[in-house]
């Protein structure tokens, strides 16, 4: 995920140039396989930028269905920006080009009491765009590298940087953050389609914030160009524009780390289901085994903090785990639907999700036992269990193509190409 930088307002020419030196030195720590590695221009950004007079240029069109807006850096006080091909500073309201910035030239953007400062000079307005001179341009913003254009939005005494980027470039920055880039290409391709579809489906998540998706697990983890590798770029390119649909709309392509042997039903977990998020068996069961234990006193204390104070523990009511078998306590996949903890004061009924949240469990596919003064949880898998199991996809990739993997985990969906 892109690093966020903040600090007090800088004053004086010497401090500014020290900051520029630090900025370009930091570039040498770039990760392997980065697409672009800028070299410092060694020129004053103030002298290199050229103010444009006369008729205003037209700003870029709003994002299309194949572009996405990323809440990249929020609540910033200070950031350094440069690019490899040069860019323009555009007033957002009018579309007027205020100045152009030469390639490899760093610009210092700060928040001031009256708005933004551009290399120490105030900008009049509440929002601006950074528009590349070349579509292949790569920006360095703070410590990360990104494609597309950028909205600078004043928010009180700070500002936000919102990236407008082509959908597949966004997926390039997501893929290795959500699945190891060393995994089988067919698994990476399946993840690329799932991530692309999920992005389109998730556009409403941050609509009230003025962008489509964030950079965290609330949406999908996004690292920009620095997260790209040769393998992930191949996976994105060979599935370019492909998404999963159901009834003509992007499907809800949820995914998780490892199912433990069977995926979960959306209805069983959240109460409302869709036909393609249903329990699906994985080839190998009881994968990613885990165990964690708590002293009985700590177990009861955590319950009390969560508002479930039962008093002294008497018994735990839960059926044994059998993957793929449901009963009054378990869902069709075998995950815990509910369990009852009996104490001297009262009995408390908790869902599997409650237990996972309270005790930090890896999944709800677990057994629980009382043993020598401890409460022991033993289970399988990792994550909520909905949709594609990423470890499962990696196992299936040895014998399946990505489209078959997707059909396995999202039955009834259709693989389509965006227009």
């Amino acid at each position: 995920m892109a690093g966020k930088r903040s600090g007090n307002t800088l004053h004086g020419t010497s401090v500014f140039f020290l900051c520029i030196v630090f900025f370009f030195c930091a570039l040498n720590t770039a990760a392997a396989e980065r697409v672009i590695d800028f070299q410092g221009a060694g020129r004053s950004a103030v002298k290199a930028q050229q103010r444009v007079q006369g008729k205003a240029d037209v700003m870029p069109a709003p994002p299309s269905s194949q572009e996405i807006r990323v809440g990249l850096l929020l609540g910033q006080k200070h950031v350094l920006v440069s690019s490899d091909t040069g860019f323009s500073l555009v007033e957002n309201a009018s579309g007027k080009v205020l100045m152009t910035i030469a390639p490899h030239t760093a610009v210092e953007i700060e928040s001031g009491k009256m708005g933004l400062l551009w290399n120490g000079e105030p900008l009049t307005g509440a929002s601006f765009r950074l528009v590349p001179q070349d579509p292949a341009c790569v920006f360095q913003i703070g410590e990360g590298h990104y494609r597309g254009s950028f909205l600078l939005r004043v928010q009180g005494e700070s500002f936000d940087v919102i990236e407008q980027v082509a959908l597949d470039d966004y997926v390039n920055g997501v893929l290795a953050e959500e699945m190891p880039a060393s995994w089988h290409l067919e698994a990476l391709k399946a993840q690329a389609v799932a991530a692309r579809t999920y992005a389109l489906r998730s556009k409403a998540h941050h609509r009230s914030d003025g962008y489509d998706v964030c950079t965290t697990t609330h949406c999908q983890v996004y690292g920009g160009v620095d997260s790209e590798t040769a393998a992930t770029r191949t996976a994105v390119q060979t599935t370019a524009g492909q998404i999963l649909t159901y009834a003509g709309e992007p499907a809800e392509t949820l995914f998780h780390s490892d199912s433990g042997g069977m995926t979960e039903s959306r209805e069983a977990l959240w109460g409302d289901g869709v036909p393609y998020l249903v329990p699906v068996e994985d080839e190998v069961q009881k994968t990613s085994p885990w165990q964690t234990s708590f002293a009985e006193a700590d177990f009861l204390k955590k319950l009390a903090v969560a508002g479930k104070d039962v008093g002294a523990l008497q018994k735990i009511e839960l059926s044994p785990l059998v993957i793929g078998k449901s009963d009054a306590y378990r869902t069709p996949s075998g995950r815990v639907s509910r369990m009852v903890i009996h104490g001297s004061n009262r009995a408390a009924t908790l869902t599997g999700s409650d237990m996972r949240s309270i005790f930090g469990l890896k999944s709800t596919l677990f057994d629980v036992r009382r043993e020598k003064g401890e409460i022991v949880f033993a289970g399988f898998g990792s994550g909520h269990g909905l949709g594609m199991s990423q470890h499962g996809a990696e196992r299936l990739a040895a014998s399946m193509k990505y489209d078959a993997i997707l059909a396995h985990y999202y039955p009834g969906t259709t693989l389509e190409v965006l227009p």
Side-chain angles (χ1 to χ4, degrees), residues 200-224:
L200 287 181
R201 175 90 181 198
S202 303
K203 276 193 167 186
H205 281 184
H206 290 279
R207 183 173 295 161
S208 62
D209 299 317
Y211 49 90
D212 299 318
V213 295
C214 64
T215 61
T216 73
T217 53
H218 177 262
C219 297
Q220 296 183 103
V221 180
Y222 174 70

Side-chain angles (χ1 to χ4, degrees), residues 347-359:
T349 300
L350 296 98
T351 66
S353 296
D354 291 336
M355 297 298 289
R356 187 180 174 209
S357 176
I358 293 170
F359 296 100

Side-chain angles (χ1 to χ4, degrees), residues 378-394:
F380 303 95
S382 180
H384 51 56
L386 294 176
M388 185 174 70
S389 164
Q390 293 170 311
H391 280 271
E394 169 69 353

Side-chain angles (χ1 to χ4, degrees), residues 356-397:
R356 187 180 174 209
S357 176
I358 293 170
F359 296 100
L361 307 179
K362 290 186 177 181
S363 74
T364 58
L365 192 66
F366 65 82
D367 269 323
V368 61
R369 66 182 185 272
R370 196 176 181 185
E371 183 178 273
K372 297 179 180 180
E374 290 190 329
I375 307 302
V376 180
F377 295 92
F380 303 95
S382 180
H384 51 56
L386 294 176
M388 185 174 70
S389 164
Q390 293 170 311
H391 280 271
E394 169 69 353
R395 291 187 288 269
L396 291 174

Side-chain angles (χ1 to χ4, degrees), residues 141-163:
I141 300 181
E143 297 176 355
H145 295 80
Y146 308 95
R147 306 183 194 278
S149 61
F150 302 85
L151 174 69
L152 304 177
R153 183 179 64 182
V154 177
Q155 297 282 77
E157 293 190 6
S158 65
F159 63 95
D160 297 336
V161 181
I162 298 171
E163 179 185 18

Side-chain angles (χ1 to χ4, degrees), residues 218-234:
H218 177 262
C219 297
Q220 296 183 103
V221 180
Y222 174 70
V225 173
D226 296 324
S227 296
E228 297 177 11
T229 71
T232 59
R233 286 193 294 274
T234 297

Side-chain angles (χ1 to χ4, degrees), residues 232-274:
T232 59
R233 286 193 294 274
T234 297
V236 174
Q237 289 167 3
T238 54
T239 64
Q242 293 181 15
I243 65 168
L244 289 180
T245 65
Y246 185 83
E249 297 293 330
E252 188 179 11
T253 49
L254 298 168
F255 50 87
H256 60 283
S257 180
D258 195 336
S259 74
M262 181 174 283
T263 65
E264 183 59 293
S265 159
R266 192 186 195 283
E267 182 177 10
L269 184 61
W270 291 335
D272 57 336
V274 292

Side-chain angles (χ1 to χ4, degrees), residues 116-133:
L116 291 183
L117 300 177
W118 183 272
N119 283 333
E121 296 293 328
L123 292 174
T124 302
S127 61
F128 304 86
R129 287 192 177 275
L130 308 181
V131 181
Q133 296 294 306

